[in-house]
Amino acid sequence: MAKQTKTPRPKAATPKGFRDYFGTDVTERAEMLSRIAEVYDRYGFDALESAAVETVEALGKFLPDHDRPNAGVFAWQEGEEEGKGDWLALRYDLTAPLARVFAQHRNDLPTPYRRYAMGPVWRNEKPGPGRFRQFYQCDADTVGTASMAADAEICAMLADCMEVVGIPRGDYLIRVNNRKVLNGVLDAMGVTEAAQQADVLRTIDKFDKVGEAGVRELLGKGRLDASGAYIDGVGLTEAQITKVLSFLGARDEAILELENGTFSAQPGFMFRSIFTDVDPANYEHFGHRIREMMESEEGRNRLANYAVLSKLKGLVGESLIGLEGVDELAQIGDLLGAQQYGHDRIRIDPSVVRGLGYYTGPVFEAELTFEILDKKGRKRQFGSVAGGGRYDDLVARFTGQSVPAVGVSIGVDRLLAALREKNRMGGEAVGPVVVTVMDRDRMADYQAMVAELRNAGIRAEVYLGNPKNFGNQLKYADKRNSPAAVIEGADEKARGVVQVKDLVLGKKIAENATLEEWKERPSQAEIPRDDLVTHIKALLAGDT
Amino acid sequence: MAKQTKTPRPKAATPKGFRDYFGTDVTERAEMLSRIAEVYDRYGFDALESAAVETVEALGKFLPDHDRPNAGVFAWQEGEEEGKGDWLALRYDLTAPLARVFAQHRNDLPTPYRRYAMGPVWRNEKPGPGRFRQFYQCDADTVGTASMAADAEICAMLADCMEVVGIPRGDYLIRVNNRKVLNGVLDAMGVTEAAQQADVLRTIDKFDKVGEAGVRELLGKGRLDASGAYIDGVGLTEAQITKVLSFLGARDEAILELENGTFSAQPGFMFRSIFTDVDPANYEHFGHRIREMMESEEGRNRLANYAVLSKLKGLVGESLIGLEGVDELAQIGDLLGAQQYGHDRIRIDPSVVRGLGYYTGPVFEAELTFEILDKKGRKRQFGSVAGGGRYDDLVARFTGQSVPAVGVSIGVDRLLAALREKNRMGGEAVGPVVVTVMDRDRMADYQAMVAELRNAGIRAEVYLGNPKNFGNQLKYADKRNSPAAVIEGADEKARGVVQVKDLVLGKKIAENATLEEWKERPSQAEIPRDDLVTHIKALLAGDT
């Protein structure tokens, strides 16, 4: 006999590259984002929440990644009939919607417009281990001002964000670079063609992967990669390559010179926050002050950013764009200095190359400097958790007018992972107190108990499964990570008492207590019913 | 000469039916949700955040609305090539993903599983005024228990949620009904066919629209609607119609009888939380107690839910499903009574019909009872802001096993609107203190000022637009809703002072002050630079 054909059951699975977040994964992220939002708010940034869905036209289909200009968004066409209606897509970041919002509402919004936004974004990319197609971003941007004060403010805010979520000073660094300086260095050495400049950018972006020697080869004639394939080089001369590497290493070199007393400043180059009382025309006096400061450690620290900029000024020579870049960095350094953000928190560092291709001016990155062990047990630094910079062309797509803007994006998942590495976030939540059910007909009594506990602010619940097997109730409490179970059978009810099992202590005892300890600190106590709230409060506070 | 053709600029607009949320629209919602999350957590519910995207297969394509079974989701097909890959869609609610999550992770999750979820959902429907295609839901569900304690707990939690977001006791009611009771009433009158029962349900769901007279006609022979079309009736007899309307009006009738002393209980029907000391077999004693209680207002209040249930018991007669429904409601009433949730907060009310078609057992609704003025200036009650009930078949789609579940969904946008109606949410945020720029070269000084203010916890920013026109800076401060502007020109700098403009007072004065008041309370003060933080703090506290 033929069996009846049935519709097969649907598979209970997330689509590839998507995942579910449970319990503390959700609440810890929410708490972190709410702390960051407080900082953004204090800096005068306003919240903005745009929809997940935009028209493909408004979004622009292109991710801000030049290697994969067509890499995907999730898109579909509107309308009942095929081939009609707008194409819609899920946003791939929070910057493209900001550009649309600013263009759409510019007459109602204040200018400059400072806004923050937090929420999921979607990428239609091949998922991989730990790489998901939906993830959170947390951005702050200032639209409508070219002032470096906006860039400096965002760097300061980023430092504040690190501290407010639990990364102490010393465990993070905000590092600042400027696209214009590299362009200036290249101009100064005669590499003026845009395509070749872009090649240089792409190559130094591989520094972390191939190291200095690899970058040297790739900037020159080329190199054999691990697979045996030959990668063509950019074709710079040895002298040019050395200059590019000097740019990348400008900070290290400047610090070294400061330390061994060989640093000498570029004539006429000022740093207002340090030399408030010096006439820049009077180089003699100025050089004297520098030599004086170099004698103390504190002085050398205060000079550090200045020394880096002085080095960069030497490298860009007469290039106007380069000098503009150095001046922008000097302004940022000065503004941050005035707000007491020293180089222990924010420093100018030309070795930051990530994002140089995308941004048009200053670029910055928040890096966590503490060491963690990687999967193979090797020590490494945690690395970057946020990045941003200045971009000036996004709104022009809509209005034709170029609007200057600068912003930062915090990598929510990486920052959360970092906080867990440092044990600054719990990981496992404390479960509810579980009131067990000894007598199904007295559910109302048990509900009254949890109501009392909740009214005292204690997380509590009644066991709602089948109460027949008491062992299952305790197994459930265990799975819920409950700190305590409450038991009231008919006998206890008659005597006006309840039993309270301390499950945390119980676990500890089960693991490693001696018999003596077991006797001394019983993990179960009989208490008067009226003392329930007081007793549980003490138990949760560790006072029993 | 032919002009060069250009790609037209993209339109800066949200897709139809989507919108942007600014400032307090975002932060007030976030605050409300975080307060609700605290309540959910205290009841032992765990957070769950699933992705926005599900497979169409897992989601099921059908919205829980029988009138529009094909009403839309936003869906698209995976994969580079046409016609290959899974169909994916944006979730249309938070219940369908819960069913998938529970089926997928059931071996790791505790059972019963209490979870809450908050986030946007998407509906591919025709947008209308005030009707959007993306909106927030905020759900709590208990999966894996048939115990009425789960239903009662969710009703109690819903009442707590109302109070914690700022709706005081007396301004809301949780009303509870049960699908099984109506089915029982219909069974008892001989309307046993599922299709006809469904017709009755659909008809009484129109009560709000067509009123009692309209429902009477539609349950009987039919009626002419406003457009002149004749709508066929369900075909019940007069006696049957009267019984259905008795069901809907059971609460009003019971209360009336209690008030005028004519109430008499159904023999043998108990309500444990009231008659703790009475033997249900002893009807005489029991009836005596009821008559005693009816003499005081407090007694009548305590009897109210009992009286309603007693009425319902009369209506369902011998119907097993009906008696089961009445018993479920009695259990819920008892459990809530034990937790001190009186009928001033939660009441059994058969006139709740919304959702009766979708849910399988108890149904509940949170209603705001205060009056507001509608657009035409007429008084009306605010109405429903949350609803839920018991549904038992969602997980079976995946596993073949029916899993009992009960849940609630709070209408986030309606509840926010209600809080605004009652002026319990601010609406307009206090903007940042704006430090104006008198001398572009002294940006570092101004940044130092805002840094001091922020470190004191005060929201503050430097004006970052073009500082040339001072009027524009004050206009900007106005647009930002700033409480104060700080001014430090070269003269002030030299004298070690700053000017502070009280913009709130300034607005008031500009509106309605006499000349005397103007002189007495100048809205601008010159203060020592070192007193900046102290002065602004006092100004914000209203002490200047």
Side-chain angles (χ1 to χ4, degrees):
Chain A
M1 275 193 327
K3 278 191 183 174
Q4 268 193 301
T5 47
K6 276 186 187 173
T7 318
R9 288 195 192 120
K11 231 175 103 187
T14 46
K16 274 187 215 103
F18 292 90
R19 56 163 292 191
D20 301 311
Y21 294 85
F22 295 92
T24 48
D25 282 348
V26 179
T27 52
E28 287 180 2
R29 180 176 55 208
E31 195 193 320
M32 192 182 86
L33 289 178
S34 119
R35 287 184 188 181
I36 292 173
E38 266 175 46
V39 174
Y40 286 170
D41 176 81
R42 212 182 319 134
Y43 274 77
F45 285 68
D46 277 349
L48 167 67
E49 187 171 324
S50 60
V53 179
E54 298 273 348
T55 64
V56 166
E57 182 194 359
L59 210 51
K61 254 199 300 194
F62 309 114
L63 288 171
D65 182 333
H66 286 292
D67 285 353
R68 283 166 300 164
N70 284 306
V73 291
F74 291 103
W76 63 90
Q77 195 167 16
E78 272 262 68
E80 302 272 299
E81 300 147 68
E82 277 309 307
K84 294 205 174 179
D86 289 340
W87 275 88
L88 304 182
L90 293 177
R91 64 183 179 204
Y92 56 78
D93 71 4
L94 300 172
T95 315
L98 170 62
R100 194 265 306 149
V101 167
F102 188 79
Q104 182 174 348
H105 302 282
R106 63 189 181 282
N107 293 330
D108 301 319
L109 292 172
T111 306
Y113 176 47
R114 290 177 176 94
R115 87 87 181 79
Y116 71 86
M118 300 171 163
V121 301
W122 293 265
R123 303 270 169 98
N124 192 358
E125 290 169 348
K126 219 179 161 167
R131 222 173 105 189
F132 295 98
R133 304 204 285 175
Q134 172 177 332
F135 53 92
Y136 268 74
Q137 288 194 338
C138 168
D139 288 18
D141 294 79
T142 302
V143 182
T145 176
S147 167
M148 283 301 120
D151 306 60
E153 171 177 280
I154 284 183
C155 290
M157 192 164 73
L158 189 50
D160 287 7
C161 284
M162 293 299 116
E163 296 186 17
V164 87
V165 301
I167 311 280
R169 215 165 288 184
D171 271 356
Y172 71 87
L173 269 181
I174 314 298
R175 305 192 305 150
V176 189
N177 194 2
N178 193 321
R179 164 76 178 270
K180 291 177 183 170
V181 179
L182 175 63
N183 284 354
V185 171
L186 296 175
D187 277 356
M189 63 171 73
V191 178
T192 52
E193 213 190 313
Q196 208 186 1
Q197 291 197 347
D199 283 346
V200 172
L201 261 176
R202 246 194 307 277
T203 303
I204 60 179
D205 205 8
K206 293 180 186 152
F207 201 100
D208 286 347
K209 242 190 262 171
V210 301
E212 183 179 324
V215 166
R216 261 186 188 282
E217 287 176 326
L218 288 170
L219 285 176
K221 291 181 190 153
R223 114 186 245 268
L224 274 176
D225 77 1
S227 70
Y230 193 82
I231 313 292
D232 280 340
V234 180
L236 301 189
T237 65
E238 268 311 304
Q240 287 173 328
I241 293 171
T242 302
K243 237 181 151 188
V244 169
L245 290 170
S246 299
F247 164 75
L248 293 177
R251 183 176 179 89
D252 290 348
E253 208 183 320
I255 301 295
L256 195 70
E257 287 180 8
L258 276 178
E259 285 302 325
N260 60 27
T262 58
F263 173 72
S264 82
Q266 290 289 315
F269 180 66
M270 274 290 289
F271 205 57
R272 299 173 52 93
S273 64
I274 299 181
F275 309 110
T276 44
D277 52 350
V278 176
D279 176 2
N282 185 353
Y283 179 62
E284 258 321 296
H285 187 120
F286 177 53
H288 176 70
R289 281 289 298 281
I290 289 177
R291 281 188 300 277
E292 224 173 64
M293 286 176 75
M294 279 162 60
E295 281 163 21
S296 72
E297 198 189 326
E298 196 224 328
R300 288 194 300 273
N301 279 343
R302 288 190 60 208
L303 275 177
N305 279 342
Y306 172 76
V308 178
L309 289 171
S310 176
K311 275 255 153 296
L312 292 180
K313 183 156 187 284
L315 288 168
V316 299
E318 301 294 310
S319 161
L320 287 181
I321 187 89
L323 289 169
E324 198 177 300
V326 173
D327 181 56
E328 287 179 0
L329 287 176
Q331 284 185 54
I332 292 174
D334 276 335
L335 290 166
L336 290 170
Q339 293 172 72
Q340 315 301 327
Y341 289 85
H343 88 309
D344 56 332
R345 287 194 271 174
I346 306 180
R347 55 178 63 163
I348 289 160
D349 186 344
S351 72
V352 175
V353 290
R354 230 187 43 155
L356 275 189
Y358 174 59
Y359 295 109
T360 54
V363 172
F364 34 83
E365 196 171 85
E367 202 191 328
L368 302 188
T369 53
F370 56 81
E371 283 180 336
I372 55 163
L373 297 179
D374 68 11
K375 279 179 192 159
K376 292 180 181 164
R378 291 170 303 202
K379 279 186 185 175
R380 63 167 186 85
Q381 293 209 324
F382 193 90
S384 170
V385 292
R390 182 163 277 281
Y391 55 95
D392 289 335
D393 299 327
L394 269 181
V395 181
R397 286 184 57 236
F398 296 100
T399 62
Q401 290 176 306
S402 186
V403 175
V406 58
V408 67
S409 185
I410 295 179
V412 175
D413 296 320
R414 276 189 62 77
L415 186 52
L416 261 180
L419 290 168
R420 288 190 181 145
E421 282 282 350
K422 291 286 269 184
N423 290 319
R424 281 184 196 136
M425 282 225 155
E428 203 170 10
V430 174
V433 170
V434 170
V435 173
T436 59
V437 174
M438 302 299 286
D439 178 356
R440 202 195 281 257
D441 286 342
R442 289 198 301 104
M443 189 54 103
D445 290 343
Y446 304 129
Q447 289 287 1
M449 284 188 207
V450 287
E452 276 174 42
L453 290 167
R454 286 171 193 151
N455 288 339
I458 297 165
R459 195 176 189 212
E461 57 174 54
V462 171
Y463 180 70
L464 289 183
N466 186 339
K468 237 175 161 176
N469 180 334
F470 188 69
N472 279 349
Q473 300 200 43
L474 290 184
K475 266 184 217 154
Y476 171 86
D478 193 51
K479 206 162 193 174
R480 297 289 283 124
N481 203 27
S482 300
V486 179
I487 304 160
E488 191 203 52
D491 169 56
E492 282 90 3
K493 171 79 179 172
R495 293 190 292 120
V497 299
V498 291
Q499 308 284 340
V500 176
K501 253 181 128 63
D502 184 334
L503 299 175
V504 178
L505 183 61
K507 256 185 215 167
K508 268 193 217 147
I509 289 176
E511 272 165 20
N512 51 25
T514 62
L515 188 63
E516 299 307 305
E517 287 169 324
W518 184 290
K519 279 185 187 162
E520 257 171 52
R521 301 196 58 194
S523 66
Q524 184 161 337
E526 180 175 298
I527 55 157
R529 165 69 181 82
D530 290 345
D531 293 353
L532 178 64
V533 169
T534 324
H535 182 83
I536 296 276
K537 265 195 176 165
L539 184 150
L540 291 176
D543 294 343
T544 51
Chain B
M1 274 192 335
K3 279 192 181 173
Q4 268 194 300
T5 48
K6 277 188 185 173
T7 318
R9 287 192 194 123
K11 231 176 102 187
T14 46
K16 272 187 217 102
F18 292 90
R19 55 162 294 193
D20 301 311
Y21 294 84
F22 294 91
T24 48
D25 282 348
V26 179
T27 52
E28 288 180 2
R29 180 175 56 208
E31 195 193 320
M32 192 183 85
L33 290 178
S34 118
R35 287 184 187 180
I36 292 173
E38 266 175 45
V39 175
Y40 287 169
D41 176 81
R42 212 181 323 130
Y43 274 77
F45 285 69
D46 278 349
L48 167 66
E49 186 170 325
S50 61
V53 180
E54 298 273 348
T55 64
V56 165
E57 182 195 0
L59 210 51
K61 253 198 299 193
F62 307 114
L63 288 173
D65 182 333
H66 286 294
D67 285 351
R68 283 165 300 162
N70 284 306
V73 292
F74 292 103
W76 63 90
Q77 196 167 16
E78 273 262 68
E80 301 273 299
E81 298 147 70
E82 276 310 306
K84 295 203 173 180
D86 289 338
W87 275 89
L88 304 183
L90 293 178
R91 64 185 179 202
Y92 56 78
D93 71 3
L94 299 173
T95 314
L98 170 62
R100 193 265 306 151
V101 166
F102 188 79
Q104 181 174 349
H105 302 281
R106 63 189 182 281
N107 293 331
D108 301 318
L109 292 172
T111 305
Y113 177 47
R114 290 178 177 95
R115 87 87 180 78
Y116 70 86
M118 300 171 162
V121 300
W122 293 264
R123 302 270 169 99
N124 192 359
E125 291 169 347
K126 220 179 160 168
R131 221 172 107 191
F132 296 98
R133 304 205 286 176
Q134 172 177 332
F135 54 92
Y136 267 75
Q137 287 193 339
C138 168
D139 288 18
D141 294 80
T142 302
V143 182
T145 177
S147 168
M148 282 301 120
D151 305 60
E153 170 177 282
I154 283 182
C155 291
M157 191 163 74
L158 190 50
D160 288 8
C161 284
M162 293 300 116
E163 296 186 18
V164 87
V165 301
I167 311 280
R169 215 166 288 185
D171 271 356
Y172 71 89
L173 270 181
I174 315 298
R175 306 192 304 149
V176 189
N177 194 3
N178 192 322
R179 164 76 176 269
K180 291 177 182 168
V181 179
L182 176 62
N183 284 354
V185 171
L186 296 174
D187 278 355
M189 63 170 75
V191 179
T192 53
E193 212 192 312
Q196 208 184 2
Q197 290 197 348
D199 282 346
V200 173
L201 262 176
R202 243 195 308 279
T203 303
I204 60 179
D205 206 7
K206 292 179 187 151
F207 201 100
D208 287 346
K209 241 189 262 171
V210 300
E212 182 178 325
V215 166
R216 261 187 188 282
E217 288 176 324
L218 288 171
L219 285 176
K221 291 182 188 149
R223 108 187 251 268
L224 274 175
D225 77 1
S227 69
Y230 194 82
I231 312 291
D232 281 338
V234 180
L236 300 190
T237 66
E238 270 309 305
Q240 287 174 327
I241 293 171
T242 301
K243 235 180 154 189
V244 170
L245 289 170
S246 298
F247 164 75
L248 293 176
R251 182 175 181 88
D252 290 347
E253 209 183 318
I255 300 295
L256 196 69
E257 288 179 8
L258 276 178
E259 285 302 325
N260 60 28
T262 58
F263 173 74
S264 82
Q266 291 287 316
F269 179 67
M270 274 290 288
F271 204 57
R272 300 173 52 94
S273 64
I274 299 182
F275 309 110
T276 44
D277 52 352
V278 176
D279 177 1
N282 184 352
Y283 180 63
E284 259 322 296
H285 186 119
F286 178 52
H288 177 70
R289 280 289 299 280
I290 289 178
R291 282 189 297 278
E292 224 174 65
M293 284 176 75
M294 277 162 60
E295 281 163 22
S296 73
E297 197 189 325
E298 196 224 326
R300 289 195 299 274
N301 279 343
R302 287 189 61 206
L303 276 177
N305 279 341
Y306 173 75
V308 178
L309 289 171
S310 175
K311 275 257 154 292
L312 292 179
K313 183 158 186 285
L315 288 169
V316 299
E318 303 294 309
S319 160
L320 286 182
I321 186 89
L323 289 169
E324 198 177 299
V326 174
D327 180 57
E328 286 179 1
L329 287 176
Q331 285 185 55
I332 292 175
D334 276 335
L335 290 167
L336 290 170
Q339 293 171 73
Q340 314 303 327
Y341 289 85
H343 88 310
D344 57 330
R345 287 192 271 174
I346 306 181
R347 55 177 64 163
I348 290 160
D349 187 344
S351 72
V352 175
V353 291
R354 231 187 42 155
L356 275 190
Y358 174 60
Y359 295 109
T360 55
V363 171
F364 34 84
E365 196 170 86
E367 202 191 327
L368 303 188
T369 54
F370 56 81
E371 282 181 336
I372 56 163
L373 297 179
D374 68 10
K375 278 177 193 161
K376 292 179 182 167
R378 292 170 303 203
K379 279 185 184 178
R380 61 167 188 86
Q381 293 208 324
F382 193 91
S384 170
V385 292
R390 182 162 278 280
Y391 55 95
D392 288 337
D393 299 327
L394 269 181
V395 181
R397 286 184 56 235
F398 296 101
T399 63
Q401 290 175 307
S402 186
V403 176
V406 57
V408 66
S409 185
I410 294 179
V412 175
D413 295 319
R414 276 189 62 77
L415 186 52
L416 260 180
L419 290 167
R420 289 193 180 143
E421 282 283 348
K422 291 286 269 185
N423 290 319
R424 279 178 197 139
M425 282 225 156
E428 202 169 11
V430 174
V433 170
V434 170
V435 172
T436 59
V437 175
M438 302 300 286
D439 178 356
R440 202 195 282 257
D441 286 343
R442 288 198 300 104
M443 190 54 102
D445 290 343
Y446 304 129
Q447 290 287 0
M449 283 186 208
V450 287
E452 276 175 41
L453 290 167
R454 285 170 193 151
N455 289 339
I458 297 164
R459 194 175 190 214
E461 56 172 56
V462 171
Y463 180 71
L464 289 183
N466 186 340
K468 237 175 161 177
N469 179 334
F470 188 69
N472 280 347
Q473 301 200 42
L474 290 185
K475 266 184 218 155
Y476 171 85
D478 193 51
K479 205 162 193 174
R480 298 289 284 124
N481 203 27
S482 300
V486 180
I487 304 160
E488 191 204 53
D491 169 58
E492 282 88 4
K493 171 80 177 172
R495 292 190 293 122
V497 298
V498 293
Q499 307 284 341
V500 177
K501 253 181 128 63
D502 184 333
L503 299 175
V504 179
L505 183 61
K507 256 185 215 167
K508 270 192 215 148
I509 290 176
E511 274 165 19
N512 53 25
T514 62
L515 189 62
E516 300 308 304
E517 286 170 323
W518 184 289
K519 279 184 188 161
E520 258 173 47
R521 302 194 61 194
S523 66
Q524 184 161 337
E526 180 175 301
I527 56 157
R529 165 68 181 83
D530 291 344
D531 294 352
L532 179 63
V533 169
T534 325
H535 182 83
I536 296 275
K537 266 195 176 163
L539 183 151
L540 292 176
D543 294 344
T544 50

